[in-house]
Structure formats: C-alpha cells, structure tokens
Amino acid sequence: MRLELDWLFELKRREIIFLALLVLCGGVIGFICGRVSHQYLELFFPFAQALESAAWVLGTLLVTSMVITLVSAFLRPLRVLLFGHALGAIAFLLVWRGGWIAFAGALLYIAGMALHAWILTGELGRRLEFSMRPLLYEQRKIFMVLALLLSLSFASGYQSAAQDELRIPENFKRAAEEMMLAGLENQVNHQPDLDSIQREIFLEQARTNLDDTWNDLEATVQPYVRFIPLGLILPLYFLLMGLLDSLGWLPYLLLWLAFRLLNRFGILRTITETSERKILKL
C-alpha cells in the first residue's frame, strides 16, 4: 500500500498549495449550497437584498470556477488532480451538512469535477503548444455542475420549508400584487367619471379578487405540491446556466491575469518537451 501512495508523499510545496485551493473551493461551494438551502428566500425578496445576494452568489461561483480551472491546468498527473477534487468533495459535504441531499450533492460534485479534469487533461496533453482555449471551453462543465448543485439546494430548501404544503411566500404575493395594482390604479386614476370613493372601492375589490385568486391557486396546486421541488430544479438550472454563460468572460479574464502574474513572479515557466510517436512506414 505504501508503494501505491508514494506519489502522495512526493508532492511538492506548490502542488500542496494547489490541492489546498481545491479543498477550499469545495468548502466554498458547500457553504453556498447550504446557505441557499436554508435561506433560499433571500435570493428573491426584498428586491434590493435579492440583487445583493444573487450578485454575491454568482460572483463567488465565477471566482471559484476560475480557481478550479487554474489548478486543473497545472496539477499533473491526473491522479493528483482527482485526489484534490476528492478532498474538495469531502469539504463540500462537511460544510453543507444537509443530510442525504448534501451527500448526493457531494457525489455529483466529484463526478462532475472528475469528468472535467479527465477531459481537460487529455485535451491539454494532445496539444503541441499550451493554449487557454481548452480552459475556456471546458469551464462550461464546471458551470453545469455548479448550476445543478445550486438548483438542487434551492429545491431542497423549498421542500424543507413547505412541509408538503404549498407555500407561496408572502413577499412574492405582495410584490406581484403591487405590480398588478400599480397599473390598475394608474388606469382608474385616469377615469374622469369616477370620484375618489368609487376609485377606492374599485381598488379594494381588486385586492379582494387577488386574494381569492391566490387561495384558488393554492387549493388547485395542493395535490401536486410534492412535485414542486422537482419542478423547480430544471427552470433554475437553465436560469443559472444562462447567467453564468453570459458572465463566462469574467473567469477567462481572471485566468489571463493570473497566468500573467504567475509568469511574472517566476512561479510558472514554459518548457519544451520531446515525445516519441509510433507510425507506420513502408
């Protein structure tokens, strides 16, 4: 067993630092998933806080994906990189602490990161000259894993809060009512044949009708409430993928800056290697 793990004891200091970065990334992603699972309503209401929370989550995911891509470009051989992702999955599981949902998320994390590492390592190994283009292409696989994990944590948070009952957040109701009543109130105020009392009665009746509509909606959907968490995963996944793809240039820019800085300080260097090829010849 010692002979099989000799490579682990021969790791250099820089490789250990990169492994620590992968562990940190796993822990950060686990923290985000745990926070979304327990405080998922913060991503929606109130609006100002929702923007701040969403920006914080997306920014953290983008920086984390950049760090994972950066480390994946350096750590060799593949088993060292896979070992780092395995440690990251453990950190993910320990930080989230979400029961079997967190365990399933950790399995998804290690599977997705292992696939990304295997494809990226093979692509870089086939190239005659190092290029950042494979890093950019394969970064989307990290986005897919992160978006799926976040969607899963959001759905699990809703399921825990709902307790098999349809739970439409009151903030959502108020926000929707304000949007609908604002337009209606504007139309009523421009009706010259209505006095102020009639306008108020009309708006009050509209609010009552909205309350009845919410009650009818909850009663209609109630038999299918156990399927709502599953129905949330796919729309949230596509929404997050769209946001991450639209901001995908930011990790690429950070990667470019990171490579320039690492080269400037002598941490990285470009070397030329020769390799043998076997070909058929007459």
Side-chain angles (χ1 to χ4, degrees), residues 182-192 194 196 199-200 203:
L184 182 61
E185 185 176 0
N186 185 48
Q187 294 179 5
V188 171
N189 290 333
H190 286 82
Q191 295 292 331
L194 297 177
S196 59
R199 292 170 184 169
E200 186 61 33
L203 292 175

Side-chain angles (χ1 to χ4, degrees), residues 1-280:
M1 187 65 178
R2 174 57 185 267
L3 294 177
E4 296 177 359
L5 296 179
D6 278 348
W7 59 271
L8 188 59
F9 298 98
E10 296 173 357
L11 293 176
K12 301 177 181 178
R13 181 180 300 176
R14 295 176 182 178
E15 293 173 329
I16 295 176
I17 293 175
F18 283 138
L19 287 175
L21 287 176
L22 289 182
V23 176
L24 179 63
C25 289
V28 169
I29 296 172
F31 171 77
I32 294 175
C33 290
R35 179 174 177 179
V36 170
S37 178
H38 292 94
Q39 303 174 3
Y40 68 100
L41 288 179
E42 287 187 5
L43 294 177
F44 293 92
F45 310 103
F47 186 71
Q49 183 178 344
L51 287 179
E52 181 180 351
S53 299
W56 181 85
V57 170
L58 288 176
T60 305
L61 293 181
L62 290 172
V63 173
T64 303
S65 68
M66 183 274 294
V67 174
I68 293 175
T69 303
L70 181 68
V71 174
S72 300
F74 298 144
L75 278 183
R76 296 292 182 274
L78 178 60
R79 61 186 177 187
V80 177
L81 185 55
L82 294 179
F83 177 69
H85 284 312
L87 294 179
I90 295 174
F92 174 94
L93 182 61
L94 293 177
V95 173
W96 186 353
R97 296 180 180 179
W100 70 270
I101 293 290
F103 182 75
L107 293 179
L108 176 63
Y109 178 84
I110 184 61
M113 293 305 168
L115 178 63
H116 168 265
W118 179 63
I119 295 177
L120 180 61
T121 302
E123 182 65 27
L124 292 176
R126 286 189 294 268
R127 289 180 173 265
L128 297 179
E129 185 176 354
F130 175 79
S131 172
M132 289 184 60
R133 184 170 298 178
L135 304 182
L136 179 62
Y137 288 159
E138 301 306 325
Q139 182 179 250
R140 196 169 191 273
K141 290 183 176 59
I142 300 178
F143 288 165
M144 294 171 65
V145 174
L146 298 183
L148 193 55
L149 286 172
L150 212 63
S151 302
L152 181 66
S153 62
F154 185 93
S156 67
Y158 179 90
Q159 184 181 33
S160 299
Q163 297 295 330
D164 294 330
E165 295 181 3
L166 178 62
R167 184 169 182 258
I168 300 177
E170 291 297 328
N171 290 331
F172 177 83
K173 292 181 180 180
R174 287 197 296 268
E177 290 174 359
E178 289 176 1
M179 291 177 60
M180 290 184 285
L181 290 176
L184 182 61
E185 185 176 0
N186 185 48
Q187 294 179 5
V188 171
N189 290 333
H190 286 82
Q191 295 292 331
D193 54 334
L194 297 177
D195 56 29
S196 59
I197 297 179
Q198 291 175 324
R199 292 170 184 169
E200 186 61 33
I201 293 175
F202 185 85
L203 292 175
E204 185 62 30
Q205 183 63 41
R207 295 188 184 95
T208 302
N209 292 336
L210 282 175
D211 291 337
D212 294 338
T213 301
W214 287 123
N215 294 332
D216 293 341
L217 177 62
E218 292 176 348
T220 302
V221 180
Q222 187 62 44
Y224 313 99
V225 68
R226 63 183 181 276
F227 301 112
I228 290 179
L230 295 177
L232 289 173
I233 293 177
L234 197 59
L236 285 173
Y237 170 78
F238 286 118
L239 174 63
L240 289 170
M241 280 301 300
L243 292 173
L244 291 172
D245 282 339
S246 64
L247 298 173
W249 57 270
L250 183 57
Y252 184 79
L253 176 61
L254 294 176
L255 277 174
W256 181 80
L257 291 174
F259 278 118
R260 294 294 298 269
L261 290 174
L262 291 174
N263 273 312
R264 183 175 183 84
F265 289 105
I267 299 177
L268 296 180
R269 65 185 188 278
T270 302
I271 61 175
T272 302
E273 293 182 344
T274 59
S275 60
E276 295 183 354
R277 293 193 305 161
K278 294 183 178 180
I279 60 174
L280 294 177

